[in-house]
Amino acid sequence: LGSLPNDSTEPDIGSRARLLDPAINYLQWYPAEADVSNRPGWFYHPDEKPKTAAQLMDLYEKSVGRNASLLLNVPPAPDGRIADEDVASLTAFGAGLRRVY
């Protein structure tokens, strides 16, 4: 007791009333996580295109740049490999990150 929240599944993890409760001595911090897929869905579909390097940079700046962890899903193709289109997009994204940061 004495911390806020005790469990991130509690219904009230930070209302004003809870924050001002005299029994609360300190807050617990939970890191933010941005879970996104490199493709429109979570699984590979040959008719869908991966995000461009510019879209990935935008995601990076709006997640990592705002103090969240970016968890980027890259679904494998049916052969178990990452599709060439995805590799090209991710490679350009990596180059852009190195160039900017």
Side-chain angles (χ1 to χ4, degrees), residues 6 8 10-11 23 29-30 38 40 58-59 61 63 68 70 78 89 93-94 100:
N6 290 323
S8 62
E10 290 183 18
W29 178 75
Y30 290 93
N38 191 40
D58 185 58
L59 281 170
E61 290 176 341
S63 59
L70 175 60
S89 174
F93 168 55
V100 172

Side-chain angles (χ1 to χ4, degrees), residues 34-97:
D35 300 336
V36 295
S37 184
N38 191 40
R39 288 178 170 260
W42 287 103
F43 301 99
Y44 177 87
H45 298 283
D47 58 328
E48 296 177 346
K49 301 294 178 200
K51 289 179 174 51
T52 65
Q55 290 171 314
L56 292 171
M57 183 65 85
D58 185 58
L59 281 170
Y60 180 86
E61 290 176 341
K62 289 179 177 173
S63 59
V64 176
R66 293 178 179 167
N67 204 29
S69 297
L70 175 60
L71 179 57
L72 182 62
N73 174 57
V74 180
D79 64 1
R81 300 175 56 94
I82 303 300
D84 290 340
E85 288 177 309
D86 295 67
V87 171
S89 174
L90 294 166
T91 301
F93 168 55
L97 279 177

